[in-house]
Coordinates of all heavy atoms in Angstrom, one line a residue:
M280 N 1.0 -1.1 -0.1 CA 0.0 0.0 0.0 C 0.9 1.2 0.1 O 1.9 1.3 0.9 CB -0.8 0.0 1.3 CG -1.9 1.1 1.3 SD -3.0 0.8 2.7 CE -3.1 2.4 3.4
L281 N 0.5 2.1 -0.9 CA 1.3 3.4 -1.0 C 1.0 4.3 0.2 O -0.2 4.5 0.5 CB 1.1 4.2 -2.3 CG 1.5 3.4 -3.5 CD1 1.3 4.1 -4.8 CD2 3.1 3.3 -3.5
R282 N 1.9 4.9 0.9 CA 1.7 5.8 1.9 C 1.7 7.2 1.4 O 2.4 7.5 0.5 CB 2.8 5.7 3.0 CG 2.6 4.3 3.7 CD 3.7 4.2 4.8 NE 3.6 3.0 5.4 CZ 3.0 2.8 6.6 NH1 2.7 3.9 7.4 NH2 3.0 1.6 7.2
H283 N 1.0 8.1 2.1 CA 1.1 9.5 1.8 C 1.4 10.3 2.9 O 1.4 9.8 4.1 CB -0.3 9.9 1.2 CG -1.4 9.8 2.2 ND1 -1.6 10.6 3.2 CD2 -2.4 8.7 2.3 CE1 -2.7 10.3 4.0 NE2 -3.1 9.0 3.4
E284 N 1.8 11.5 2.7 CA 2.2 12.4 3.8 C 1.0 12.9 4.7 O 0.0 13.0 4.0 CB 3.0 13.4 3.4 CG 2.4 14.5 2.4 CD 3.3 15.5 1.8 OE1 3.7 16.4 2.5 OE2 3.9 15.4 0.7
F285 N 1.2 13.1 5.8 CA 0.2 13.5 6.7 C -0.1 15.0 6.4 O 0.8 15.8 6.3 CB 0.6 13.3 8.2 CG -0.5 13.8 9.1 CD1 -1.8 13.4 9.1 CD2 -0.1 14.9 10.1 CE1 -2.6 13.9 10.1 CE2 -1.1 15.3 10.9 CZ -2.3 14.7 11.0
Q286 N -1.3 15.4 6.2 CA -1.8 16.7 5.9 C -2.7 17.3 7.0 O -4.0 17.0 6.8 CB -2.4 16.9 4.6 CG -1.4 16.5 3.6 CD -1.9 16.6 2.1 OE1 -3.1 16.7 1.8 NE2 -1.0 16.6 1.2
P287 N -2.3 17.9 8.1 CA -3.2 18.2 9.1 C -4.2 19.3 8.7 O -5.3 19.5 9.3 CB -2.3 18.7 10.2 CG -1.0 19.1 9.6 CD -1.0 18.2 8.3
G288 N -3.9 20.2 7.8 CA -4.9 21.1 7.4 C -6.2 20.7 6.9 O -7.2 21.1 7.0
R289 N -6.0 19.6 6.0 CA -7.2 18.9 5.4 C -7.9 18.2 6.4 O -9.2 18.1 6.4 CB -6.7 17.9 4.3 CG -6.2 18.6 3.1 CD -6.0 17.6 2.0 NE -5.5 18.3 0.8 CZ -5.4 17.6 -0.4 NH1 -5.6 16.6 -0.5 NH2 -5.0 18.4 -1.4
L290 N -7.2 17.6 7.5 CA -8.0 16.9 8.5 C -8.8 17.9 9.3 O -9.9 17.7 9.7 CB -6.9 16.3 9.6 CG -7.5 15.7 10.8 CD1 -8.3 14.5 10.4 CD2 -6.3 15.2 11.6
V291 N -8.2 19.1 9.6 CA -8.9 20.1 10.5 C -10.2 20.6 9.8 O -11.2 20.8 10.3 CB -8.0 21.2 10.9 CG1 -8.7 22.3 11.6 CG2 -7.0 20.7 12.0
A292 N -9.9 20.9 8.5 CA -11.0 21.3 7.6 C -12.1 20.4 7.4 O -13.3 20.8 7.5 CB -10.5 21.7 6.1
G293 N -11.7 19.1 7.4 CA -12.7 18.0 7.2 C -13.5 18.0 8.5 O -14.8 17.7 8.4
L294 N -12.8 18.0 9.6 CA -13.6 17.8 10.9 C -14.5 19.0 11.1 O -15.7 18.8 11.5 CB -12.6 17.9 12.0 CG -11.7 16.7 12.2 CD1 -10.6 16.7 13.3 CD2 -12.6 15.4 12.5
F295 N -14.1 20.2 10.8 CA -15.2 21.4 10.9 C -16.3 21.4 9.9 O -17.4 21.6 10.3 CB -14.3 22.7 10.8 CG -13.8 23.2 12.2 CD1 -12.6 22.8 12.6 CD2 -14.6 24.1 12.9 CE1 -12.1 23.2 13.9 CE2 -14.1 24.6 14.2 CZ -12.8 24.2 14.6
L296 N -16.1 20.9 8.7 CA -17.1 20.8 7.8 C -18.1 19.6 8.2 O -19.2 19.8 8.1 CB -16.6 20.6 6.4 CG -15.9 21.9 5.9 CD1 -15.3 21.6 4.5 CD2 -16.8 23.1 5.8
T297 N -17.5 18.6 8.8 CA -18.4 17.4 9.3 C -19.1 18.0 10.4 O -20.3 17.5 10.5 CB -17.5 16.2 9.6 OG1 -16.8 15.9 8.5 CG2 -18.3 15.2 10.2
L298 N -18.4 18.7 11.4 CA -19.3 19.3 12.5 C -20.4 20.2 12.1 O -21.5 20.0 12.5 CB -18.3 20.1 13.3 CG -19.0 20.9 14.6 CD1 -19.6 19.9 15.5 CD2 -17.8 21.8 15.3
T299 N -20.2 20.9 11.0 CA -21.2 21.8 10.4 C -22.4 20.9 9.9 O -23.6 21.2 10.2 CB -20.7 22.7 9.4 OG1 -19.6 23.5 9.8 CG2 -21.7 23.7 8.8
G300 N -22.1 19.9 9.3 CA -23.1 19.0 8.7 C -24.0 18.2 9.9 O -25.0 18.2 9.7
V301 N -23.3 18.0 11.0 CA -23.9 17.3 12.1 C -24.8 18.3 12.8 O -25.9 18.0 13.2 CB -22.8 16.8 13.1 CG1 -23.5 16.4 14.4 CG2 -22.2 15.6 12.4
V302 N -24.4 19.5 12.8 CA -25.1 20.6 13.4 C -26.4 20.8 12.6 O -27.6 20.8 13.2 CB -24.5 22.0 13.6 CG1 -25.4 23.1 14.0 CG2 -23.4 21.7 14.7
Y303 N -26.4 20.9 11.3 CA -27.6 21.1 10.5 C -28.4 19.8 10.5 O -29.6 19.8 10.3 CB -27.1 21.6 9.1 CG -26.9 23.0 9.0 CD1 -25.8 23.6 8.6 CD2 -28.0 23.9 9.5 CE1 -25.6 25.0 8.6 CE2 -27.8 25.2 9.5 CZ -26.7 25.7 9.0 OH -26.5 27.0 9.0
A304 N -27.7 18.5 10.6 CA -28.6 17.3 10.6 C -29.4 17.3 11.7 O -30.5 16.7 11.8 CB -27.6 16.1 10.4
G305 N -28.8 17.7 13.0 CA -29.5 17.7 14.3 C -30.7 18.7 14.2 O -31.7 18.3 14.8
D306 N -30.5 19.8 13.4 CA -31.6 20.8 13.3 C -32.7 20.2 12.5 O -33.9 20.2 12.7 CB -30.9 22.0 12.7 CG -32.1 23.0 12.5 OD1 -33.1 23.2 13.4 OD2 -32.1 23.9 11.7
A307 N -32.4 19.5 11.4 CA -33.3 18.9 10.4 C -34.0 17.8 11.0 O -35.2 17.5 10.8 CB -32.6 18.4 9.2
G308 N -33.3 17.0 11.9 CA -34.0 16.0 12.7 C -34.8 16.3 13.9 O -35.6 15.5 14.5
G309 N -34.8 17.6 14.3 CA -35.7 18.1 15.3 C -35.0 18.1 16.7 O -35.6 18.1 17.7
L310 N -33.8 17.7 16.8 CA -33.0 17.5 18.0 C -32.8 18.8 18.7 O -32.8 19.0 19.9 CB -31.8 16.7 17.9 CG -32.0 15.2 17.4 CD1 -30.5 14.7 17.1 CD2 -32.7 14.5 18.4
W311 N -32.5 19.9 17.9 CA -32.3 21.2 18.4 C -32.5 22.1 17.3 O -32.8 21.7 16.1 CB -30.7 21.4 19.0 CG -29.7 21.0 18.0 CD1 -29.3 21.8 16.9 CD2 -29.0 19.8 17.9 NE1 -28.3 21.2 16.2 CE2 -28.1 20.0 16.9 CE3 -28.8 18.6 18.7 CZ2 -27.3 18.9 16.6 CZ3 -28.1 17.8 18.4 CH2 -27.2 17.8 17.3
E312 N -32.5 23.4 17.7 CA -32.7 24.5 16.6 C -31.5 25.2 16.4 O -30.9 25.8 17.3 CB -33.8 25.4 17.1 CG -34.4 26.2 15.9 CD -35.7 27.0 16.3 OE1 -36.5 26.3 16.9 OE2 -35.8 28.2 16.0
T313 N -31.1 25.3 15.1 CA -29.8 26.0 14.8 C -30.2 27.1 13.9 O -31.0 27.2 12.9 CB -28.9 25.1 13.9 OG1 -28.8 23.9 14.6 CG2 -27.7 25.7 13.5
P314 N -29.6 28.4 14.2 CA -29.9 29.5 13.4 C -29.3 29.3 12.0 O -28.2 28.7 11.8 CB -29.2 30.7 14.1 CG -28.7 30.3 15.3 CD -28.8 28.6 15.3
W315 N -29.7 30.0 10.9 CA -29.4 29.8 9.6 C -28.0 30.3 9.4 O -27.3 29.8 8.5 CB -30.3 30.5 8.6 CG -30.4 31.9 8.7 CD1 -31.2 32.8 9.5 CD2 -29.5 33.0 8.1 NE1 -30.9 34.1 9.4 CE2 -29.8 34.1 8.6 CE3 -28.3 32.8 7.3 CZ2 -29.2 35.3 8.1 CZ3 -27.9 34.0 6.8 CH2 -28.0 35.2 7.3
F316 N -27.5 31.2 10.2 CA -26.2 31.8 10.0 C -25.1 31.1 10.7 O -24.0 31.5 10.6 CB -26.2 33.3 10.3 CG -26.5 33.5 11.7 CD1 -25.9 33.4 12.8 CD2 -27.9 33.9 11.9 CE1 -26.2 33.7 14.1 CE2 -28.4 34.1 13.2 CZ -27.5 34.0 14.3
A317 N -25.4 29.8 11.3 CA -24.4 29.2 12.0 C -23.2 28.7 11.2 O -22.2 28.4 11.8 CB -25.1 28.1 12.9
V318 N -23.5 28.4 10.0 CA -22.5 27.9 9.2 C -21.2 28.8 9.0 O -20.2 28.4 8.8 CB -23.1 27.4 7.7 CG1 -23.5 28.7 7.0 CG2 -22.2 26.6 7.0
I319 N -21.6 30.2 9.1 CA -20.5 31.2 8.7 C -19.4 31.1 9.8 O -18.3 30.9 9.4 CB -21.2 32.5 8.7 CG1 -22.1 32.6 7.5 CG2 -20.0 33.5 8.6 CD1 -23.0 33.8 7.4
P320 N -19.7 31.1 11.2 CA -18.6 31.1 12.0 C -17.9 29.8 12.1 O -16.6 29.5 12.3 CB -19.1 31.4 13.3 CG -20.6 31.4 13.2 CD -21.0 31.4 11.9
L321 N -18.7 28.6 11.9 CA -18.2 27.2 12.0 C -17.2 27.0 10.8 O -16.2 26.6 10.9 CB -19.3 26.2 11.9 CG -19.9 25.9 13.3 CD1 -21.1 24.9 13.0 CD2 -19.0 25.3 14.3
T322 N -17.6 27.3 9.5 CA -16.8 27.3 8.4 C -15.6 28.1 8.5 O -14.4 27.7 8.1 CB -17.7 27.4 7.2 OG1 -18.7 26.5 7.2 CG2 -16.9 27.1 5.9
S323 N -15.8 29.4 8.7 CA -14.7 30.4 8.6 C -13.7 29.9 9.7 O -12.5 29.9 9.4 CB -15.1 31.7 8.8 OG -15.9 32.0 10.1
A324 N -14.1 29.6 10.9 CA -13.1 29.2 12.0 C -12.5 27.9 11.5 O -11.2 27.9 11.8 CB -13.9 28.9 13.3
G325 N -13.1 26.9 11.0 CA -12.4 25.7 10.6 C -11.4 26.0 9.5 O -10.4 25.4 9.4
L326 N -11.7 26.8 8.5 CA -10.8 27.0 7.4 C -9.6 27.8 7.9 O -8.6 27.7 7.4 CB -11.6 27.8 6.3 CG -12.5 27.0 5.5 CD1 -13.3 27.9 4.5 CD2 -11.9 25.9 4.9
C327 N -9.8 28.8 8.8 CA -8.6 29.6 9.5 C -7.7 28.7 10.2 O -6.5 28.7 10.1 CB -9.2 30.7 10.3 SG -9.8 32.0 9.4
L328 N -8.3 27.7 11.0 CA -7.6 26.8 11.7 C -6.8 25.8 10.8 O -5.7 25.5 11.1 CB -8.3 26.1 12.8 CG -8.8 26.8 14.0 CD1 -9.7 26.0 14.9 CD2 -7.6 27.3 14.8
A329 N -7.5 25.5 9.8 CA -6.8 24.6 8.8 C -5.7 25.2 8.1 O -4.7 24.6 7.9 CB -7.9 24.1 7.7
A330 N -5.8 26.5 7.9 CA -4.8 27.3 7.2 C -3.5 27.3 8.2 O -2.4 27.2 7.7 CB -5.2 28.7 6.9
L331 N -3.7 27.6 9.4 CA -2.7 27.5 10.4 C -2.0 26.2 10.6 O -0.8 26.1 10.6 CB -3.3 28.1 11.8 CG -3.6 29.4 12.0 CD1 -4.3 29.8 13.3 CD2 -2.3 30.3 11.8
A332 N -2.9 25.2 10.5 CA -2.3 23.8 10.7 C -1.4 23.4 9.5 O -0.3 22.9 9.6 CB -3.3 22.9 10.9
G333 N -1.8 23.8 8.2 CA -1.2 23.5 7.1 C 0.1 24.3 6.9 O 1.1 23.8 6.5
S334 N 0.1 25.6 7.4 CA 1.2 26.4 7.3 C 2.2 25.9 8.3 O 3.5 25.8 7.9 CB 0.8 27.9 7.7 OG 0.0 28.4 6.7
A335 N 1.9 25.4 9.5 CA 2.8 24.9 10.4 C 3.3 23.7 10.0 O 4.6 23.5 10.0 CB 1.9 24.7 11.8
A336 N 2.6 22.8 9.4 CA 3.1 21.6 8.9 C 4.1 21.8 7.8 O 5.1 21.1 7.6 CB 2.0 20.7 8.5
H337 N 3.8 22.7 6.7 CA 4.6 23.1 5.7 C 6.0 23.6 6.2 O 7.0 23.3 5.7 CB 4.0 24.0 4.7 CG 4.9 24.4 3.7 ND1 5.2 23.6 2.6 CD2 5.5 25.6 3.3 CE1 5.9 24.2 1.7 NE2 6.3 25.4 2.2
G338 N 6.1 24.4 7.2 CA 7.1 25.0 7.9 C 7.9 23.9 8.5 O 9.2 24.0 8.3
L339 N 7.3 23.2 9.2 CA 8.1 22.0 9.7 C 8.7 21.1 8.7 O 9.9 20.5 9.0 CB 7.3 21.2 10.7 CG 6.8 21.9 12.1 CD1 5.9 21.0 12.8 CD2 8.0 22.2 12.8
R340 N 7.9 20.7 7.8 CA 8.4 19.9 6.7 C 9.6 20.6 6.0 O 10.6 19.9 5.5 CB 7.3 19.5 5.8 CG 7.2 18.1 5.5 CD 6.1 17.8 4.5 NE 4.8 17.6 5.1 CZ 3.6 18.4 4.9 NH1 3.6 19.5 4.0 NH2 2.6 18.3 5.6
R341 N 9.4 21.8 5.6 CA 10.6 22.6 5.0 C 11.9 22.7 5.7 O 12.9 22.5 5.4 CB 10.0 24.0 4.6 CG 10.9 24.8 3.8 CD 10.2 26.0 3.3 NE 11.0 26.9 2.6 CZ 11.0 28.2 2.5 NH1 10.0 28.8 3.1 NH2 11.9 28.9 1.8
Q342 N 11.6 22.9 7.1 CA 12.8 23.0 8.0 C 13.5 21.7 8.2 O 14.7 21.7 8.2 CB 12.3 23.6 9.4 CG 13.3 23.8 10.4 CD 12.7 24.2 11.6 OE1 11.6 23.8 12.0 NE2 13.4 25.1 12.3
R343 N 12.7 20.7 8.2 CA 13.2 19.3 8.3 C 14.0 19.0 7.1 O 15.0 18.2 7.1 CB 12.2 18.3 8.7 CG 12.7 16.9 9.0 CD 11.7 16.1 9.5 NE 10.6 16.0 8.7 CZ 9.5 15.4 8.9 NH1 9.3 14.7 10.0 NH2 8.6 15.2 8.0
G344 N 13.5 19.3 6.0 CA 14.2 18.9 4.7 C 13.8 17.6 4.2 O 12.9 17.0 4.7
D345 N 14.5 17.2 3.3 CA 14.1 15.8 2.7 C 15.1 14.6 3.4 O 15.8 13.9 2.7 CB 14.4 15.8 1.2 CG 13.4 16.4 0.5 OD1 12.1 16.6 1.0 OD2 13.6 16.9 -0.6
R346 N 15.1 14.6 4.7 CA 16.0 13.6 5.4 C 15.4 12.4 5.2 O 16.1 11.3 5.1 CB 16.1 13.9 6.9 CG 16.8 15.3 7.2 CD 16.9 15.2 8.8 NE 17.0 16.7 9.0 CZ 16.7 17.1 10.2 NH1 16.4 16.4 11.2 NH2 16.8 18.4 10.4
R347 N 14.1 12.2 5.1 CA 13.3 11.0 5.1 C 12.5 10.8 3.7 O 11.8 11.8 3.4 CB 12.3 10.9 6.2 CG 11.9 9.4 6.5 CD 11.0 9.7 7.7 NE 9.9 10.5 7.4 CZ 8.7 10.4 8.1 NH1 8.7 9.5 9.0 NH2 7.8 11.2 7.8
E348 N 12.7 9.9 2.8 CA 12.2 9.7 1.7 C 11.1 8.6 1.7 O 11.2 7.7 2.6 CB 13.1 9.4 0.5 CG 14.1 10.6 0.2 CD 14.5 10.6 -1.2 OE1 13.9 9.8 -2.0 OE2 15.4 11.3 -1.5
L349 N 10.1 8.8 1.0 CA 8.8 7.8 1.0 C 9.4 6.5 0.5 O 10.3 6.6 -0.6 CB 7.7 8.4 0.3 CG 7.0 9.5 1.0 CD1 5.9 10.0 0.0 CD2 6.5 9.1 2.2
P350 N 9.1 5.5 0.9 CA 9.4 4.2 0.3 C 8.9 4.0 -1.1 O 7.9 4.3 -1.3 CB 9.0 3.0 1.2 CG 7.9 3.7 2.2 CD 8.2 5.2 2.0
G351 N 9.8 3.4 -2.0 CA 9.2 3.2 -3.3 C 9.6 4.4 -4.3 O 9.3 4.4 -5.5
R352 N 10.2 5.4 -3.8 CA 10.4 6.6 -4.6 C 11.9 6.5 -5.1 O 12.8 6.4 -4.3 CB 10.3 7.9 -4.0 CG 8.9 8.3 -3.8 CD 8.7 9.7 -3.2 NE 9.2 10.7 -4.0 CZ 9.4 12.0 -3.6 NH1 9.1 12.4 -2.4 NH2 9.9 12.8 -4.4
D353 N 12.2 6.5 -6.4 CA 13.5 6.6 -6.9 C 13.8 7.8 -7.3 O 13.3 8.3 -8.4 CB 13.7 5.5 -8.0 CG 13.4 4.0 -7.6 OD1 13.8 3.8 -6.4 OD2 13.0 3.1 -8.4
D354 N 14.8 8.4 -6.6 CA 15.2 9.8 -7.1 C 16.5 9.6 -7.7 O 17.6 9.5 -7.2 CB 15.4 10.7 -5.9 CG 15.6 12.1 -6.2 OD1 15.3 12.5 -7.3 OD2 16.0 12.9 -5.2
K355 N 16.4 9.7 -9.0 CA 17.6 9.5 -10.0 C 18.0 10.8 -10.6 O 17.8 11.0 -11.8 CB 17.4 8.4 -11.0 CG 17.1 7.1 -10.3 CD 16.9 6.0 -11.4 CE 16.6 4.7 -10.6 NZ 16.6 3.7 -11.5
R356 N 18.6 11.6 -9.7 CA 18.9 13.0 -10.2 C 20.5 12.9 -10.6 O 21.2 12.1 -10.0 CB 18.8 13.9 -9.1 CG 17.5 14.5 -9.0 CD 17.6 15.6 -8.0 NE 17.0 15.2 -6.7 CZ 16.8 15.8 -5.7 NH1 17.2 17.0 -5.6 NH2 16.4 15.2 -4.6
V357 N 20.9 13.4 -11.7 CA 22.2 13.4 -12.2 C 23.0 14.7 -11.6 O 22.5 15.8 -11.7 CB 22.2 13.7 -13.7 CG1 23.8 13.6 -14.1 CG2 21.4 12.3 -14.3
R358 N 24.1 14.2 -10.8 CA 24.8 15.3 -10.2 C 25.9 15.6 -11.1 O 26.6 14.8 -11.6 CB 25.3 14.8 -8.9 CG 24.2 14.7 -7.9 CD 24.7 14.3 -6.6 NE 23.7 13.9 -5.7 CZ 23.8 13.6 -4.4 NH1 25.0 13.7 -3.8 NH2 22.9 13.4 -3.7
S359 N 26.2 16.9 -11.4 CA 27.3 17.3 -12.3 C 28.4 17.9 -11.4 O 28.5 18.4 -10.3 CB 26.9 18.3 -13.3 OG 25.9 19.1 -12.9

């Protein structure tokens, strides 16, 4: 199985968008009442946190460099 790199920004964005869906599903099911504008702070907060998480992960990856390569990748660069 091929592995991929961990992307925390996508994880945070997905969690917040799932939370928004759960809030509206609870409203539709009659469990609670949600104002129509509740999607705005949930989505914008989630996207801002996702941007911070993605930027932090990118900074750490860039700082760490390419010390570790993914298995199965053949990097055949010609050095002159």
Side-chain angles (χ1 to χ4, degrees):
M280 183 171 143
L281 294 175
R282 294 182 179 251
H283 59 84
E284 60 184 289
F285 179 62
Q286 297 179 345
R289 288 185 180 193
L290 175 67
V291 172
L294 288 175
F295 269 86
L296 292 175
T297 302
L298 175 66
T299 303
V301 167
V302 167
Y303 276 123
D306 183 32
L310 298 174
W311 56 76
E312 194 166 320
T313 305
W315 64 268
F316 55 84
V318 72
I319 297 168
L321 279 174
T322 304
S323 60
L326 290 176
C327 288
L328 288 175
L331 285 174
S334 296
H337 178 72
L339 288 174
R340 239 182 264 120
R341 186 173 174 202
Q342 186 180 34
R343 188 172 56 185
D345 285 334
R346 291 185 210 164
R347 196 176 60 157
E348 293 209 11
L349 295 175
R352 284 183 68 190
D353 292 333
D354 190 15
K355 298 182 180 187
R356 285 185 254 179
V357 177
R358 296 183 185 185
S359 23

